[in-house]
């Protein structure tokens, strides 16, 4: 159940004090104490395929994007590659070598927490 209208208006007014006209939080996170936010990387492996063709050539195709957070927490994507994936990424061992048959689709997120501990999660799909 929603609070009474006047109470909702008061809450929205308080929230507005911390946001700009676009609804983005007006909080400075540029200091070193927020480096853990900027450490987060999101790897979207739309596909990574390696296989030997009928004529003996090794065929590789990939589409990898890397998402990062900027100084104030703004998120952006850039092009990546299988070689830009962290060592903890699983499922593409042998990429670029003697051409074992490989295929992977996944989202991989890694980070370093505020104490400097490395963490990650991989979801294959």
């Amino acid at each position: 159940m929603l609070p009474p209208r006047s109470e909702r208006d008061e809450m929205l007014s308080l929230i507005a004090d911390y946001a700009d006209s676009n609804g983005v939080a007006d909080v400075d996170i540029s200091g070193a104490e927020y480096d853990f936010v900027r450490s987060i990387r999101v790897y979207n492996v739309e596909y990574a395929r390696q296989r030997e063709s009928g004529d003996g050539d090794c065929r590789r195709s990939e589409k990898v994007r890397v998402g990062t957070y900027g100084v104030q927490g703004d998120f952006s994507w850039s092009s990546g590659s299988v070689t830009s994936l962290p060592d903890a990424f699983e499922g593409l061992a042998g990429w670029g070598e003697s051409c074992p048959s490989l295929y992977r689709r996944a989202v991989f997120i890694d980070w370093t927490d505020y104490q400097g501990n490395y963490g990650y999660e991989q979801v294959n799909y």
Side-chain angles (χ1 to χ4, degrees):
M1 176 162 219
L2 291 173
R5 180 112 180 114
S6 61
E7 193 175 329
R8 279 187 300 195
D9 290 344
E10 186 177 334
M11 285 188 286
L12 289 172
S13 175
L14 286 172
I15 293 168
D17 290 344
Y18 295 99
D20 64 17
S21 60
N22 293 324
V24 176
D26 187 17
V27 178
D28 182 11
I29 65 165
S30 63
E33 65 272 21
Y34 294 100
D35 283 349
F36 69 94
V37 173
R38 290 178 287 280
S39 80
I40 300 169
R41 301 283 185 267
V42 180
Y43 299 85
N44 181 21
V45 181
E46 289 187 33
Y47 59 86
R49 179 179 301 127
Q50 173 180 281
R51 65 187 187 308
E52 195 171 314
S53 66
D55 58 5
D57 288 338
C58 189
R59 308 265 186 205
R60 291 182 191 91
S61 60
E62 62 185 297
K63 184 172 182 184
V64 178
R65 295 187 310 154
V66 181
T68 56
Y69 288 90
V71 173
Q72 287 295 353
D74 49 312
F75 185 80
S76 63
W77 288 105
S78 60
S79 295
S81 68
V82 168
T83 58
S84 67
L85 295 170
D87 291 339
F89 188 90
E90 296 180 356
L92 292 174
W95 179 269
E97 294 176 5
S98 61
C99 205
S101 183
L102 301 169
Y103 181 76
R104 179 66 59 196
R105 290 174 53 103
V107 174
F108 184 94
I109 302 170
D110 72 351
W111 62 88
T112 304
D113 71 15
Y114 71 97
Q115 294 177 321
N117 301 308
Y118 179 73
Y120 65 90
E121 188 71 35
Q122 180 172 334
V123 178
N124 300 319
Y125 64 97

